[in-house]
Amino acid sequence: MDGRDRYALFDAERHRADVRRFALSARMPEALARGEFVVEYQPLVRLCDQRMVGVEALVRWQLPSGRRLGPDEFVPLAEQTGLIVPLGRAVLTEACRAAAGWAAADPDYPLLLSVNLAARQVREPDIVTEIARILAETGWHPELLQLELTESDLMGTSGESLGALRALAAMGVRIAIDDFGTGYSNLAYLRHLPVHTLKLAGTFVTGAQLRDGLLAAPPGEAADEADNRVVAAVIQLAGVLGLSVTAESVETDAQLERLRQLGCDTGQGWYFARAVPSDEVPALLHCPPWLSGAPAAGR
Ligand code: MG
C-alpha cells in the first residue's frame, strides 16, 4: 500500500467516526426525553476501616439496540452541543432523589453523593439557583453533595463561574478536583479555589504513568518506589491545603495497602465494586463484598 492509499484509508475511517459521532449527537435530545440515560453508583470507601462512605454517580447511555455507552463516549459530544446542561440537570436530580431514598431507609448511614459537573454547566448563569432548587425538591442535603470538576475545567474557572462555585461551597456543597494529576494545576491558584477534595487520577494509583513513560523513575529507583513518592507528595500537599484525597481506580489489595499507608482518605475502583443501579446500593452498604474475604478477581 503506498502512502496515498494509507491516507485514503485513514480518511475513510475518520469519516466513519465523524458520521457516527454526528448520528449520536443528533439522537441525544430524543434519547434524553425517552429516558435512555441511566445513572449508576460506584462506592467511595474510607480506607482506614473500609467502610462505604459515599458514591459517585456515573451516567450511561442505554441504546435501544441494547448497546451501552460509557460517559467517555458521549459526554464530550454533549458538552459540544450544549445538551450537557439538561443532561447534567437530569442526572443530578435523579442521583439526589436516589440518595434521599437510601437515607430515608438508612438514616444512620448518610452517604456522600458525588456528581460530575462539566465546565459548561458551571457557566450557566442560573447554576446556583438550579442546584438549590434540585436539593430542595429532592430533599437532599447540600453538605452531602459533592460536585466533581476536572482539573483543567477548574483551573480555567474565573469571574462568574468562580463566584458560582464559591456560592455553592457557601451552601455547604463540597467541590472535588476530578482526575487530579492529569492536568497542569497551578498550585498557587489552587489555594484560592473553593475545593475540598482531590481525586487522584487512576494512572497514579495503578502506576501507569511510570509504565507508559510519562514520568521517569529516578536512576537507581524502582518504578513502584518513584510512584509511591509521587502519590505520597500529593497526599502531603492535600494535607497542607486542608483537602481530603480520594484515590480512583483501586484494583488490587497491594494498591489499597500502599494508599492506606500513605494516608489516603478514601478510594474507589473495581477492587471494591463496579458501579451498580440505585436499588443495589443498600446491599453494598450493609454487606460490602470487599470485606467478605472473597478474592478481588471478578468483583
Ligand atoms: Mg468523576
mmCIF file with all atom_site columns, all heavy atoms in Angstrom, residues 127-133 135-136 141-145 147 164-174:
data_model
loop_
_atom_site.group_PDB
_atom_site.id
_atom_site.type_symbol
_atom_site.label_atom_id
_atom_site.label_alt_id
_atom_site.label_comp_id
_atom_site.label_asym_id
_atom_site.label_entity_id
_atom_site.label_seq_id
_atom_site.pdbx_PDB_ins_code
_atom_site.Cartn_x
_atom_site.Cartn_y
_atom_site.Cartn_z
_atom_site.occupancy
_atom_site.B_iso_or_equiv
_atom_site.pdbx_formal_charge
_atom_site.auth_seq_id
_atom_site.auth_comp_id
_atom_site.auth_asym_id
_atom_site.auth_atom_id
_atom_site.pdbx_PDB_model_num
ATOM 1   N N   . ILE A 1 127 ? -26.889 28.453 37.513 1.00 0.00 ? 127 ILE A N   1
ATOM 2   C CA  . ILE A 1 127 ? -26.458 27.163 38.063 1.00 0.00 ? 127 ILE A CA  1
ATOM 3   C C   . ILE A 1 127 ? -26.698 27.058 39.584 1.00 0.00 ? 127 ILE A C   1
ATOM 4   O O   . ILE A 1 127 ? -27.132 26.012 40.073 1.00 0.00 ? 127 ILE A O   1
ATOM 5   C CB  . ILE A 1 127 ? -24.972 26.862 37.695 1.00 0.00 ? 127 ILE A CB  1
ATOM 6   C CG1 . ILE A 1 127 ? -24.514 25.514 38.244 1.00 0.00 ? 127 ILE A CG1 1
ATOM 7   C CG2 . ILE A 1 127 ? -24.027 27.948 38.157 1.00 0.00 ? 127 ILE A CG2 1
ATOM 8   C CD1 . ILE A 1 127 ? -25.086 24.331 37.535 1.00 0.00 ? 127 ILE A CD1 1
ATOM 9   N N   . VAL A 1 128 ? -26.450 28.133 40.316 1.00 0.00 ? 128 VAL A N   1
ATOM 10  C CA  . VAL A 1 128 ? -26.584 28.058 41.780 1.00 0.00 ? 128 VAL A CA  1
ATOM 11  C C   . VAL A 1 128 ? -28.052 27.884 42.179 1.00 0.00 ? 128 VAL A C   1
ATOM 12  O O   . VAL A 1 128 ? -28.385 26.991 42.979 1.00 0.00 ? 128 VAL A O   1
ATOM 13  C CB  . VAL A 1 128 ? -25.969 29.305 42.465 1.00 0.00 ? 128 VAL A CB  1
ATOM 14  C CG1 . VAL A 1 128 ? -26.135 29.221 43.980 1.00 0.00 ? 128 VAL A CG1 1
ATOM 15  C CG2 . VAL A 1 128 ? -24.482 29.418 42.111 1.00 0.00 ? 128 VAL A CG2 1
ATOM 16  N N   . THR A 1 129 ? -28.945 28.697 41.598 1.00 0.00 ? 129 THR A N   1
ATOM 17  C CA  . THR A 1 129 ? -30.371 28.562 41.953 1.00 0.00 ? 129 THR A CA  1
ATOM 18  C C   . THR A 1 129 ? -30.908 27.218 41.479 1.00 0.00 ? 129 THR A C   1
ATOM 19  O O   . THR A 1 129 ? -31.750 26.604 42.135 1.00 0.00 ? 129 THR A O   1
ATOM 20  C CB  . THR A 1 129 ? -31.226 29.689 41.332 1.00 0.00 ? 129 THR A CB  1
ATOM 21  O OG1 . THR A 1 129 ? -30.852 29.842 39.972 1.00 0.00 ? 129 THR A OG1 1
ATOM 22  C CG2 . THR A 1 129 ? -31.041 30.994 42.059 1.00 0.00 ? 129 THR A CG2 1
ATOM 23  N N   . GLU A 1 130 ? -30.403 26.744 40.342 1.00 0.00 ? 130 GLU A N   1
ATOM 24  C CA  . GLU A 1 130 ? -30.837 25.460 39.798 1.00 0.00 ? 130 GLU A CA  1
ATOM 25  C C   . GLU A 1 130 ? -30.475 24.312 40.760 1.00 0.00 ? 130 GLU A C   1
ATOM 26  O O   . GLU A 1 130 ? -31.298 23.446 41.063 1.00 0.00 ? 130 GLU A O   1
ATOM 27  C CB  . GLU A 1 130 ? -30.132 25.269 38.446 1.00 0.00 ? 130 GLU A CB  1
ATOM 28  C CG  . GLU A 1 130 ? -30.595 24.131 37.612 1.00 0.00 ? 130 GLU A CG  1
ATOM 29  C CD  . GLU A 1 130 ? -32.038 24.250 37.155 1.00 0.00 ? 130 GLU A CD  1
ATOM 30  O OE1 . GLU A 1 130 ? -32.549 25.380 37.013 1.00 0.00 ? 130 GLU A OE1 1
ATOM 31  O OE2 . GLU A 1 130 ? -32.665 23.207 36.976 1.00 0.00 ? 130 GLU A OE2 1
ATOM 32  N N   . ILE A 1 131 ? -29.242 24.319 41.243 1.00 0.00 ? 131 ILE A N   1
ATOM 33  C CA  . ILE A 1 131 ? -28.812 23.261 42.174 1.00 0.00 ? 131 ILE A CA  1
ATOM 34  C C   . ILE A 1 131 ? -29.575 23.384 43.501 1.00 0.00 ? 131 ILE A C   1
ATOM 35  O O   . ILE A 1 131 ? -30.016 22.384 44.068 1.00 0.00 ? 131 ILE A O   1
ATOM 36  C CB  . ILE A 1 131 ? -27.278 23.273 42.356 1.00 0.00 ? 131 ILE A CB  1
ATOM 37  C CG1 . ILE A 1 131 ? -26.624 22.808 41.052 1.00 0.00 ? 131 ILE A CG1 1
ATOM 38  C CG2 . ILE A 1 131 ? -26.851 22.391 43.532 1.00 0.00 ? 131 ILE A CG2 1
ATOM 39  C CD1 . ILE A 1 131 ? -25.113 22.834 41.022 1.00 0.00 ? 131 ILE A CD1 1
ATOM 40  N N   . ALA A 1 132 ? -29.769 24.625 43.965 1.00 0.00 ? 132 ALA A N   1
ATOM 41  C CA  . ALA A 1 132 ? -30.537 24.828 45.207 1.00 0.00 ? 132 ALA A CA  1
ATOM 42  C C   . ALA A 1 132 ? -31.958 24.294 45.030 1.00 0.00 ? 132 ALA A C   1
ATOM 43  O O   . ALA A 1 132 ? -32.516 23.661 45.939 1.00 0.00 ? 132 ALA A O   1
ATOM 44  C CB  . ALA A 1 132 ? -30.555 26.310 45.573 1.00 0.00 ? 132 ALA A CB  1
ATOM 45  N N   . ARG A 1 133 ? -32.533 24.514 43.852 1.00 0.00 ? 133 ARG A N   1
ATOM 46  C CA  . ARG A 1 133 ? -33.900 24.047 43.588 1.00 0.00 ? 133 ARG A CA  1
ATOM 47  C C   . ARG A 1 133 ? -33.947 22.510 43.589 1.00 0.00 ? 133 ARG A C   1
ATOM 48  O O   . ARG A 1 133 ? -34.837 21.903 44.197 1.00 0.00 ? 133 ARG A O   1
ATOM 49  C CB  . ARG A 1 133 ? -34.358 24.576 42.209 1.00 0.00 ? 133 ARG A CB  1
ATOM 50  C CG  . ARG A 1 133 ? -35.800 24.231 41.870 1.00 0.00 ? 133 ARG A CG  1
ATOM 51  C CD  . ARG A 1 133 ? -36.159 24.650 40.433 1.00 0.00 ? 133 ARG A CD  1
ATOM 52  N NE  . ARG A 1 133 ? -35.335 23.983 39.423 1.00 0.00 ? 133 ARG A NE  1
ATOM 53  C CZ  . ARG A 1 133 ? -35.500 22.733 39.019 1.00 0.00 ? 133 ARG A CZ  1
ATOM 54  N NH1 . ARG A 1 133 ? -36.452 21.996 39.524 1.00 0.00 ? 133 ARG A NH1 1
ATOM 55  N NH2 . ARG A 1 133 ? -34.694 22.205 38.100 1.00 0.00 ? 133 ARG A NH2 1
ATOM 56  N N   . LEU A 1 135 ? -31.915 20.461 45.128 1.00 0.00 ? 135 LEU A N   1
ATOM 57  C CA  . LEU A 1 135 ? -31.733 19.991 46.516 1.00 0.00 ? 135 LEU A CA  1
ATOM 58  C C   . LEU A 1 135 ? -33.045 20.121 47.296 1.00 0.00 ? 135 LEU A C   1
ATOM 59  O O   . LEU A 1 135 ? -33.449 19.198 48.022 1.00 0.00 ? 135 LEU A O   1
ATOM 60  C CB  . LEU A 1 135 ? -30.624 20.794 47.205 1.00 0.00 ? 135 LEU A CB  1
ATOM 61  C CG  . LEU A 1 135 ? -29.196 20.479 46.740 1.00 0.00 ? 135 LEU A CG  1
ATOM 62  C CD1 . LEU A 1 135 ? -28.207 21.520 47.257 1.00 0.00 ? 135 LEU A CD1 1
ATOM 63  C CD2 . LEU A 1 135 ? -28.768 19.081 47.195 1.00 0.00 ? 135 LEU A CD2 1
ATOM 64  N N   . ALA A 1 136 ? -33.721 21.272 47.127 1.00 0.00 ? 136 ALA A N   1
ATOM 65  C CA  . ALA A 1 136 ? -34.970 21.490 47.868 1.00 0.00 ? 136 ALA A CA  1
ATOM 66  C C   . ALA A 1 136 ? -36.039 20.491 47.403 1.00 0.00 ? 136 ALA A C   1
ATOM 67  O O   . ALA A 1 136 ? -36.747 19.899 48.224 1.00 0.00 ? 136 ALA A O   1
ATOM 68  C CB  . ALA A 1 136 ? -35.439 22.926 47.659 1.00 0.00 ? 136 ALA A CB  1
ATOM 69  N N   . HIS A 1 141 ? -29.338 16.866 51.132 1.00 0.00 ? 141 HIS A N   1
ATOM 70  C CA  . HIS A 1 141 ? -28.633 17.874 51.928 1.00 0.00 ? 141 HIS A CA  1
ATOM 71  C C   . HIS A 1 141 ? -27.415 18.399 51.178 1.00 0.00 ? 141 HIS A C   1
ATOM 72  O O   . HIS A 1 141 ? -26.616 17.607 50.695 1.00 0.00 ? 141 HIS A O   1
ATOM 73  C CB  . HIS A 1 141 ? -28.140 17.255 53.241 1.00 0.00 ? 141 HIS A CB  1
ATOM 74  C CG  . HIS A 1 141 ? -29.168 16.379 53.870 1.00 0.00 ? 141 HIS A CG  1
ATOM 75  N ND1 . HIS A 1 141 ? -30.201 16.888 54.611 1.00 0.00 ? 141 HIS A ND1 1
ATOM 76  C CD2 . HIS A 1 141 ? -29.349 15.031 53.828 1.00 0.00 ? 141 HIS A CD2 1
ATOM 77  C CE1 . HIS A 1 141 ? -30.963 15.886 55.013 1.00 0.00 ? 141 HIS A CE1 1
ATOM 78  N NE2 . HIS A 1 141 ? -30.483 14.751 54.552 1.00 0.00 ? 141 HIS A NE2 1
ATOM 79  N N   . PRO A 1 142 ? -27.243 19.726 51.144 1.00 0.00 ? 142 PRO A N   1
ATOM 80  C CA  . PRO A 1 142 ? -26.073 20.278 50.448 1.00 0.00 ? 142 PRO A CA  1
ATOM 81  C C   . PRO A 1 142 ? -24.758 19.742 51.008 1.00 0.00 ? 142 PRO A C   1
ATOM 82  O O   . PRO A 1 142 ? -23.813 19.512 50.259 1.00 0.00 ? 142 PRO A O   1
ATOM 83  C CB  . PRO A 1 142 ? -26.195 21.793 50.665 1.00 0.00 ? 142 PRO A CB  1
ATOM 84  C CG  . PRO A 1 142 ? -27.353 22.023 51.564 1.00 0.00 ? 142 PRO A CG  1
ATOM 85  C CD  . PRO A 1 142 ? -28.145 20.762 51.657 1.00 0.00 ? 142 PRO A CD  1
ATOM 86  N N   . GLU A 1 143 ? -24.706 19.488 52.339 1.00 0.00 ? 143 GLU A N   1
ATOM 87  C CA  . GLU A 1 143 ? -23.447 19.015 52.954 1.00 0.00 ? 143 GLU A CA  1
ATOM 88  C C   . GLU A 1 143 ? -23.095 17.601 52.494 1.00 0.00 ? 143 GLU A C   1
ATOM 89  O O   . GLU A 1 143 ? -21.959 17.162 52.675 1.00 0.00 ? 143 GLU A O   1
ATOM 90  C CB  . GLU A 1 143 ? -23.535 18.994 54.488 1.00 0.00 ? 143 GLU A CB  1
ATOM 91  C CG  . GLU A 1 143 ? -23.884 20.313 55.146 1.00 0.00 ? 143 GLU A CG  1
ATOM 92  C CD  . GLU A 1 143 ? -25.376 20.623 55.073 1.00 0.00 ? 143 GLU A CD  1
ATOM 93  O OE1 . GLU A 1 143 ? -26.176 19.669 54.955 1.00 0.00 ? 143 GLU A OE1 1
ATOM 94  O OE2 . GLU A 1 143 ? -25.740 21.814 55.105 1.00 0.00 ? 143 GLU A OE2 1
ATOM 95  N N   . LEU A 1 144 ? -24.078 16.886 51.942 1.00 0.00 ? 144 LEU A N   1
ATOM 96  C CA  . LEU A 1 144 ? -23.809 15.514 51.488 1.00 0.00 ? 144 LEU A CA  1
ATOM 97  C C   . LEU A 1 144 ? -23.754 15.445 49.966 1.00 0.00 ? 144 LEU A C   1
ATOM 98  O O   . LEU A 1 144 ? -23.852 14.375 49.379 1.00 0.00 ? 144 LEU A O   1
ATOM 99  C CB  . LEU A 1 144 ? -24.873 14.549 52.033 1.00 0.00 ? 144 LEU A CB  1
ATOM 100 C CG  . LEU A 1 144 ? -24.797 14.296 53.548 1.00 0.00 ? 144 LEU A CG  1
ATOM 101 C CD1 . LEU A 1 144 ? -25.968 13.443 54.004 1.00 0.00 ? 144 LEU A CD1 1
ATOM 102 C CD2 . LEU A 1 144 ? -23.470 13.621 53.913 1.00 0.00 ? 144 LEU A CD2 1
ATOM 103 N N   . LEU A 1 145 ? -23.603 16.621 49.343 1.00 0.00 ? 145 LEU A N   1
ATOM 104 C CA  . LEU A 1 145 ? -23.437 16.651 47.886 1.00 0.00 ? 145 LEU A CA  1
ATOM 105 C C   . LEU A 1 145 ? -22.020 17.115 47.585 1.00 0.00 ? 145 LEU A C   1
ATOM 106 O O   . LEU A 1 145 ? -21.527 18.081 48.174 1.00 0.00 ? 145 LEU A O   1
ATOM 107 C CB  . LEU A 1 145 ? -24.434 17.613 47.238 1.00 0.00 ? 145 LEU A CB  1
ATOM 108 C CG  . LEU A 1 145 ? -24.284 17.789 45.720 1.00 0.00 ? 145 LEU A CG  1
ATOM 109 C CD1 . LEU A 1 145 ? -24.572 16.477 44.979 1.00 0.00 ? 145 LEU A CD1 1
ATOM 110 C CD2 . LEU A 1 145 ? -25.215 18.886 45.207 1.00 0.00 ? 145 LEU A CD2 1
ATOM 111 N N   . LEU A 1 147 ? -19.552 18.022 44.186 1.00 0.00 ? 147 LEU A N   1
ATOM 112 C CA  . LEU A 1 147 ? -19.534 18.218 42.741 1.00 0.00 ? 147 LEU A CA  1
ATOM 113 C C   . LEU A 1 147 ? -18.098 18.069 42.251 1.00 0.00 ? 147 LEU A C   1
ATOM 114 O O   . LEU A 1 147 ? -17.183 18.690 42.798 1.00 0.00 ? 147 LEU A O   1
ATOM 115 C CB  . LEU A 1 147 ? -20.087 19.602 42.391 1.00 0.00 ? 147 LEU A CB  1
ATOM 116 C CG  . LEU A 1 147 ? -21.549 19.825 42.819 1.00 0.00 ? 147 LEU A CG  1
ATOM 117 C CD1 . LEU A 1 147 ? -21.947 21.285 42.642 1.00 0.00 ? 147 LEU A CD1 1
ATOM 118 C CD2 . LEU A 1 147 ? -22.493 18.908 42.024 1.00 0.00 ? 147 LEU A CD2 1
ATOM 119 N N   . ALA A 1 164 ? -19.910 31.302 41.238 1.00 0.00 ? 164 ALA A N   1
ATOM 120 C CA  . ALA A 1 164 ? -20.930 30.258 41.396 1.00 0.00 ? 164 ALA A CA  1
ATOM 121 C C   . ALA A 1 164 ? -20.392 29.132 42.276 1.00 0.00 ? 164 ALA A C   1
ATOM 122 O O   . ALA A 1 164 ? -21.084 28.640 43.172 1.00 0.00 ? 164 ALA A O   1
ATOM 123 C CB  . ALA A 1 164 ? -21.339 29.717 40.028 1.00 0.00 ? 164 ALA A CB  1
ATOM 124 N N   . LEU A 1 165 ? -19.130 28.724 42.046 1.00 0.00 ? 165 LEU A N   1
ATOM 125 C CA  . LEU A 1 165 ? -18.547 27.653 42.864 1.00 0.00 ? 165 LEU A CA  1
ATOM 126 C C   . LEU A 1 165 ? -18.436 28.101 44.321 1.00 0.00 ? 165 LEU A C   1
ATOM 127 O O   . LEU A 1 165 ? -18.699 27.321 45.237 1.00 0.00 ? 165 LEU A O   1
ATOM 128 C CB  . LEU A 1 165 ? -17.169 27.247 42.325 1.00 0.00 ? 165 LEU A CB  1
ATOM 129 C CG  . LEU A 1 165 ? -17.173 26.529 40.972 1.00 0.00 ? 165 LEU A CG  1
ATOM 130 C CD1 . LEU A 1 165 ? -15.745 26.204 40.548 1.00 0.00 ? 165 LEU A CD1 1
ATOM 131 C CD2 . LEU A 1 165 ? -18.014 25.259 41.020 1.00 0.00 ? 165 LEU A CD2 1
ATOM 132 N N   . ARG A 1 166 ? -18.067 29.354 44.517 1.00 0.00 ? 166 ARG A N   1
ATOM 133 C CA  . ARG A 1 166 ? -17.970 29.872 45.898 1.00 0.00 ? 166 ARG A CA  1
ATOM 134 C C   . ARG A 1 166 ? -19.348 29.880 46.564 1.00 0.00 ? 166 ARG A C   1
ATOM 135 O O   . ARG A 1 166 ? -19.478 29.542 47.740 1.00 0.00 ? 166 ARG A O   1
ATOM 136 C CB  . ARG A 1 166 ? -17.363 31.278 45.914 1.00 0.00 ? 166 ARG A CB  1
ATOM 137 C CG  . ARG A 1 166 ? -15.891 31.260 45.526 1.00 0.00 ? 166 ARG A CG  1
ATOM 138 C CD  . ARG A 1 166 ? -15.121 32.469 46.093 1.00 0.00 ? 166 ARG A CD  1
ATOM 139 N NE  . ARG A 1 166 ? -13.690 32.264 45.925 1.00 0.00 ? 166 ARG A NE  1
ATOM 140 C CZ  . ARG A 1 166 ? -12.914 33.003 45.138 1.00 0.00 ? 166 ARG A CZ  1
ATOM 141 N NH1 . ARG A 1 166 ? -13.426 34.009 44.455 1.00 0.00 ? 166 ARG A NH1 1
ATOM 142 N NH2 . ARG A 1 166 ? -11.628 32.736 45.046 1.00 0.00 ? 166 ARG A NH2 1
ATOM 143 N N   . ALA A 1 167 ? -20.374 30.265 45.802 1.00 0.00 ? 167 ALA A N   1
ATOM 144 C CA  . ALA A 1 167 ? -21.737 30.296 46.356 1.00 0.00 ? 167 ALA A CA  1
ATOM 145 C C   . ALA A 1 167 ? -22.188 28.877 46.716 1.00 0.00 ? 167 ALA A C   1
ATOM 146 O O   . ALA A 1 167 ? -22.809 28.658 47.751 1.00 0.00 ? 167 ALA A O   1
ATOM 147 C CB  . ALA A 1 167 ? -22.696 30.927 45.351 1.00 0.00 ? 167 ALA A CB  1
ATOM 148 N N   . LEU A 1 168 ? -21.849 27.910 45.860 1.00 0.00 ? 168 LEU A N   1
ATOM 149 C CA  . LEU A 1 168 ? -22.219 26.510 46.149 1.00 0.00 ? 168 LEU A CA  1
ATOM 150 C C   . LEU A 1 168 ? -21.495 26.028 47.408 1.00 0.00 ? 168 LEU A C   1
ATOM 151 O O   . LEU A 1 168 ? -22.089 25.379 48.268 1.00 0.00 ? 168 LEU A O   1
ATOM 152 C CB  . LEU A 1 168 ? -21.881 25.609 44.949 1.00 0.00 ? 168 LEU A CB  1
ATOM 153 C CG  . LEU A 1 168 ? -22.800 25.795 43.732 1.00 0.00 ? 168 LEU A CG  1
ATOM 154 C CD1 . LEU A 1 168 ? -22.198 25.143 42.497 1.00 0.00 ? 168 LEU A CD1 1
ATOM 155 C CD2 . LEU A 1 168 ? -24.190 25.216 44.024 1.00 0.00 ? 168 LEU A CD2 1
ATOM 156 N N   . ALA A 1 169 ? -20.209 26.361 47.503 1.00 0.00 ? 169 ALA A N   1
ATOM 157 C CA  . ALA A 1 169 ? -19.436 25.963 48.685 1.00 0.00 ? 169 ALA A CA  1
ATOM 158 C C   . ALA A 1 169 ? -20.020 26.616 49.942 1.00 0.00 ? 169 ALA A C   1
ATOM 159 O O   . ALA A 1 169 ? -20.091 25.988 50.998 1.00 0.00 ? 169 ALA A O   1
ATOM 160 C CB  . ALA A 1 169 ? -17.965 26.347 48.500 1.00 0.00 ? 169 ALA A CB  1
ATOM 161 N N   . ALA A 1 170 ? -20.475 27.873 49.805 1.00 0.00 ? 170 ALA A N   1
ATOM 162 C CA  . ALA A 1 170 ? -21.066 28.571 50.962 1.00 0.00 ? 170 ALA A CA  1
ATOM 163 C C   . ALA A 1 170 ? -22.375 27.900 51.397 1.00 0.00 ? 170 ALA A C   1
ATOM 164 O O   . ALA A 1 170 ? -22.745 27.951 52.569 1.00 0.00 ? 170 ALA A O   1
ATOM 165 C CB  . ALA A 1 170 ? -21.313 30.039 50.621 1.00 0.00 ? 170 ALA A CB  1
ATOM 166 N N   . MET A 1 171 ? -23.066 27.238 50.439 1.00 0.00 ? 171 MET A N   1
ATOM 167 C CA  . MET A 1 171 ? -24.291 26.481 50.780 1.00 0.00 ? 171 MET A CA  1
ATOM 168 C C   . MET A 1 171 ? -23.956 25.184 51.512 1.00 0.00 ? 171 MET A C   1
ATOM 169 O O   . MET A 1 171 ? -24.840 24.499 52.017 1.00 0.00 ? 171 MET A O   1
ATOM 170 C CB  . MET A 1 171 ? -25.033 26.095 49.483 1.00 0.00 ? 171 MET A CB  1
ATOM 171 C CG  . MET A 1 171 ? -25.918 27.179 48.896 1.00 0.00 ? 171 MET A CG  1
ATOM 172 S SD  . MET A 1 171 ? -26.323 26.814 47.134 1.00 0.00 ? 171 MET A SD  1
ATOM 173 C CE  . MET A 1 171 ? -26.994 25.162 47.238 1.00 0.00 ? 171 MET A CE  1
ATOM 174 N N   . GLY A 1 172 ? -22.666 24.813 51.513 1.00 0.00 ? 172 GLY A N   1
ATOM 175 C CA  . GLY A 1 172 ? -22.261 23.575 52.181 1.00 0.00 ? 172 GLY A CA  1
ATOM 176 C C   . GLY A 1 172 ? -21.859 22.469 51.213 1.00 0.00 ? 172 GLY A C   1
ATOM 177 O O   . GLY A 1 172 ? -21.417 21.399 51.622 1.00 0.00 ? 172 GLY A O   1
ATOM 178 N N   . VAL A 1 173 ? -22.019 22.724 49.901 1.00 0.00 ? 173 VAL A N   1
ATOM 179 C CA  . VAL A 1 173 ? -21.680 21.714 48.886 1.00 0.00 ? 173 VAL A CA  1
ATOM 180 C C   . VAL A 1 173 ? -20.158 21.578 48.814 1.00 0.00 ? 173 VAL A C   1
ATOM 181 O O   . VAL A 1 173 ? -19.432 22.575 48.866 1.00 0.00 ? 173 VAL A O   1
ATOM 182 C CB  . VAL A 1 173 ? -22.245 22.141 47.503 1.00 0.00 ? 173 VAL A CB  1
ATOM 183 C CG1 . VAL A 1 173 ? -21.796 21.194 46.406 1.00 0.00 ? 173 VAL A CG1 1
ATOM 184 C CG2 . VAL A 1 173 ? -23.766 22.233 47.553 1.00 0.00 ? 173 VAL A CG2 1
ATOM 185 N N   . ARG A 1 174 ? -19.678 20.326 48.714 1.00 0.00 ? 174 ARG A N   1
ATOM 186 C CA  . ARG A 1 174 ? -18.235 20.096 48.583 1.00 0.00 ? 174 ARG A CA  1
ATOM 187 C C   . ARG A 1 174 ? -17.837 20.149 47.112 1.00 0.00 ? 174 ARG A C   1
ATOM 188 O O   . ARG A 1 174 ? -18.613 19.722 46.247 1.00 0.00 ? 174 ARG A O   1
ATOM 189 C CB  . ARG A 1 174 ? -17.866 18.705 49.130 1.00 0.00 ? 174 ARG A CB  1
ATOM 190 C CG  . ARG A 1 174 ? -18.109 18.546 50.621 1.00 0.00 ? 174 ARG A CG  1
ATOM 191 C CD  . ARG A 1 174 ? -17.784 17.127 51.045 1.00 0.00 ? 174 ARG A CD  1
ATOM 192 N NE  . ARG A 1 174 ? -16.369 16.835 50.941 1.00 0.00 ? 174 ARG A NE  1
ATOM 193 C CZ  . ARG A 1 174 ? -15.469 17.096 51.891 1.00 0.00 ? 174 ARG A CZ  1
ATOM 194 N NH1 . ARG A 1 174 ? -15.860 17.630 53.027 1.00 0.00 ? 174 ARG A NH1 1
ATOM 195 N NH2 . ARG A 1 174 ? -14.203 16.809 51.721 1.00 0.00 ? 174 ARG A NH2 1
#
